[in-house]
Amino acid sequence: MSANPRPEDIEARRSEYYARVGEQQLIPLWLFFKDWFTRKPHVNSRPYAWSYRALRETIIESASIVDPVEAERRVLALENPGLPGRHLATESLYAGLQLIMPGEIAPSHRHTPAALRFVIESDGAYTSVNGERTYMKPGDFIITPSWTWHGHGHEGDGPTVWLDVLDVAMTHLFNATFTEHYPEHRSPEQTEPLDTLYRYGMNMLPVGYERGQGASPIFSYPYERTREVLGRLKDHSELDPCHGLKMQYVDPTTGGPAMPTISAFMQLLPAGFTTDSYKTTAGTIYCPVEGTGTVELPGAETPAIEYEPWHIFVIPSWQEFRITADSESTIFSTSDQAAQTKLGIWREQRGPDGA
Ligand code: 1HN
């Protein structure tokens, strides 16, 4: 550049240069460095809550709109208002409410995205995963790891509804989404119910057992057991100031999260307990099973969310929050913490900003 060029000459040279390099599929990093490399995460998803009580009738109405064979899965996806058209609850996780009516079957298929179910309402419905049938009860946590055959059916009474969460945004990101349909509607069911629980989940393992690709060999984590654990521990446990009494669903053969990409937890907050302020890079989907309370969200458009059983709410990445339990609460939650931890990028902050 000549000495002391005029500002308008600099601008003109730059514009001409940017246009020229653009034609060669080049873009100067200095034009977008600051957009990309922010001091803290730039998050589009927003805190949001769906009231199961308010939505229940509408969900059940979907039974008269489509059947699960035509639909493949009869689900109303929970779309975050900050991610319009993306069909996602957080930037990395899809979530939806699935309905099965008595006598119906959702055909067997498998896909590379991993899925979990958190059961809201069920009496006699089942999921079958790799040939093992698991009957669903409210509060049960059920996994269908990547590429496992799975289908659903209903032998009982009344509508069955559960929360589905899938890591499909991650498999899409990596262009690694594959799907296969079982040639018949149902894949063969060859194992006894609860086979994997007894084989892998009772502090013993078959001799010669070799770990697979990082997903738990147990498909079903019944609420009955989870609740017993929390109930037995609550009175003599030191409560974590940010989490109360919080337990993670694990692969018992590794101690790590039940699936490689998605973490899931159940926490108990005693009546009157308020957590310390907390935030994490893992945007999280919550679903309380018992209790009512308030989630405070300092700085958010919605400053607070009142929760009750089966409410579903999202707290995005790096959103500060505190939970106050009005009555003893058990709260399920799920996030991409497992994936972020493997990538070495997961962060949390305990305590309020500036503390
Ligand atoms: C799926 O396979 C299920 O198996 C539920 O129940 C929801 C959402 C997107 C893609 C696949 C299921 C799904 C899904």
Side-chain angles (χ1 to χ4, degrees):
M1 272 200 255
S2 63
N4 303 321
R6 291 183 308 158
E8 51 272 37
D9 291 344
I10 297 176
E11 268 322 298
R13 258 210 83 191
R14 286 183 176 174
S15 305
E16 185 277 324
Y17 180 75
Y18 299 157
R20 191 148 41 86
V21 299
E23 280 164 21
Q24 295 163 95
Q25 295 304 122
L26 298 169
I27 169 91
L29 170 62
W30 63 88
L31 295 184
F32 61 94
F33 184 89
K34 286 200 179 98
D35 290 341
W36 268 19
F37 294 88
T38 48
R39 201 172 59 77
K40 54 194 173 69
H42 178 82
V43 182
N44 286 313
S45 58
R46 298 187 205 143
Y48 195 77
W50 290 264
S51 161
Y52 183 67
R53 192 155 47 98
L55 292 175
R56 185 176 180 274
E57 285 309 310
T58 307
I59 292 158
I60 291 167
E61 193 187 336
S62 71
S64 67
I65 305 287
V66 75
D67 71 63
V69 173
E70 188 195 347
E72 185 77 21
R73 294 294 186 261
R74 189 169 52 213
V75 184
L76 291 169
L78 305 175
E79 191 166 80
N80 191 292
L83 306 170
R86 301 261 303 274
H87 317 326
L88 296 172
T90 70
E91 275 80 350
S92 65
L93 294 176
Y94 158 98
L97 291 168
Q98 180 159 176
L99 173 70
I100 293 259
M101 298 299 280
E104 289 182 338
I105 283 181
S108 191
H109 67 199
R110 63 178 175 176
H111 36 68
T112 48
L116 65 82
R117 332 273 165 209
F118 188 67
V119 183
I120 294 177
E121 230 185 288
S122 169
D123 181 12
Y126 62 87
T127 283
S128 106
V129 184
N130 273 351
E132 178 177 322
R133 210 178 254 207
T134 291
Y135 285 87
M136 300 178 165
K137 292 211 197 69
D140 290 358
F141 169 70
I142 293 159
I143 61 168
T144 53
S146 179
W147 212 237
T148 50
W149 289 110
H150 59 278
H152 320 296
H154 195 338
E155 296 174 338
D157 301 314
T160 288
V161 181
W162 65 81
L163 174 70
D164 288 311
V165 175
L166 284 90
D167 62 3
V168 63
M170 298 187 227
T171 61
H172 282 358
L173 174 68
F174 294 121
N175 283 331
T177 306
F178 293 86
T179 306
E180 243 176 42
H181 299 272
Y182 204 80
E184 297 92 51
H185 274 169
R186 309 166 75 147
S187 54
E189 287 167 351
Q190 67 280 54
T191 43
E192 290 290 305
L194 301 181
D195 177 276
T196 54
L197 179 62
Y198 285 102
R199 204 173 293 273
Y200 306 107
M202 294 297 198
N203 289 328
M204 304 187 86
L205 288 174
V207 289
Y209 172 74
E210 285 182 38
R211 290 202 262 129
Q213 4 79 312
S216 171
I218 300 172
F219 300 127
S220 178
Y221 297 73
Y223 185 63
E224 201 180 1
R225 286 165 184 269
T226 308
R227 189 67 183 85
E228 189 185 354
V229 169
L230 295 172
R232 291 221 176 225
L233 299 181
K234 66 173 181 173
D235 291 331
H236 60 274
S237 295
E238 204 178 310
L239 298 177
D240 181 293
C242 294
H243 302 303
L245 174 60
K246 186 169 179 181
M247 306 291 279
Q248 180 170 200
Y249 294 96
V250 299
D251 173 351
T253 72
T254 65
M259 291 197 290
T261 50
I262 315 178
S263 302
F265 309 88
M266 184 74 81
Q267 71 197 110
L268 182 146
L269 303 177
F273 188 83
T274 297
T275 64
D276 269 0
S277 295
Y278 182 77
K279 58 177 157 181
T280 160
T281 51
T284 304
I285 301 163
Y286 290 82
C287 185
V289 180
E290 299 171 35
T292 58
T294 307
V295 185
E296 289 168 81
L297 302 154
E301 234 172 82
T302 325
I305 290 170
E306 306 284 324
Y307 72 79
E308 62 179 22
W310 314 118
H311 235 58
I312 297 149
F313 58 93
V314 168
I315 303 181
S317 167
W318 223 237
Q319 167 67 52
E320 186 177 326
F321 69 96
R322 304 197 304 169
I323 308 179
T324 298
D326 296 334
S327 52
E328 181 176 277
S329 300
T330 55
I331 307 176
F332 172 81
S333 61
T334 181
S335 76
D336 61 13
Q337 184 178 330
Q340 288 198 35
T341 302
K342 288 187 180 67
L343 297 174
I345 58 174
W346 178 74
R347 282 202 201 189
E348 63 178 344
Q349 179 184 298
R350 298 170 68 93
D353 274 336

